[in-house]
Amino acid sequence: MTPADAALLVFTTCNTARVFAYLPQIVKIGRDRQGAAAISYTTWMLFGVSHLSTVAYAILVVDDWRMAAIFAANTLCCGVIVGMTAWKRAAFRKGRATIVIAPEACVSGAKIIVPQASFVSGARPLGGPDRTEVPAAKAITMLE
């Protein structure tokens, strides 16, 4: 095996394995309840464009369709990550509501409905899965 063959083998193995390395990131985004705030659009779009340019190179310059397929899969995974992040952020924004509470509601012991997305990470809703009823005075503390 020549050094060029060894380099090609390592390159192919690493880039094939990388397709599967995206799965934990995709699962984490799927489970995220805070709008996938830690995911960088810029980084993942740059990775996607980089992979797409490698697909073009593989097809147009070296005529290697296996290499093109591997990098097309990498491009697809980056697109899934960006798409899921956008979906999670939109859902998170939709679930958050600006709650304005009249001062007299706090004194009178009134209760309000608070969307689950308003809870800080780790907080448990007191009611159903999407919202909970809490005393107005406590809602002010929870949402700050």
Side-chain angles (χ1 to χ4, degrees), residues 16-102:
T16 301
R18 185 169 36 174
V19 172
F20 299 103
Y22 291 110
L23 294 178
Q25 182 75 74
I26 292 168
V27 169
K28 268 202 175 295
I29 294 168
R31 291 181 179 161
D32 187 277
R33 303 179 101 204
Q34 300 299 318
I39 307 301
S40 166
Y41 281 130
T42 305
T43 298
W44 287 103
M45 288 192 300
L46 182 59
F47 288 165
V49 170
S50 171
H51 296 322
L52 193 57
S53 70
T54 306
V55 171
Y57 175 81
I59 293 170
L60 301 172
V61 178
V62 294
D63 195 31
D64 187 340
W65 289 90
R66 282 185 292 179
M67 181 179 171
I70 291 168
F71 279 92
N74 280 296
T75 304
L76 178 66
C77 289
C78 289
V80 167
I81 289 170
V82 170
M84 284 181 68
T85 300
W87 174 68
K88 281 293 197 169
R89 288 184 184 170
F92 185 71
R93 280 191 303 272
K94 182 179 177 188
R96 291 184 64 102
T98 302
I99 300 172
V100 179
I101 304 167

Side-chain angles (χ1 to χ4, degrees), residues 1 5 7-8 12 21 30 32 39 47 54 63 65 72 77 94 107 112 118 121 129 131 137:
M1 175 182 282
D5 291 335
L8 181 60
T12 303
D32 187 277
I39 307 301
F47 288 165
T54 306
D63 195 31
W65 289 90
C77 289
K94 182 179 177 188
V107 176
I112 60 168
S118 299
S121 179
R131 59 185 185 193

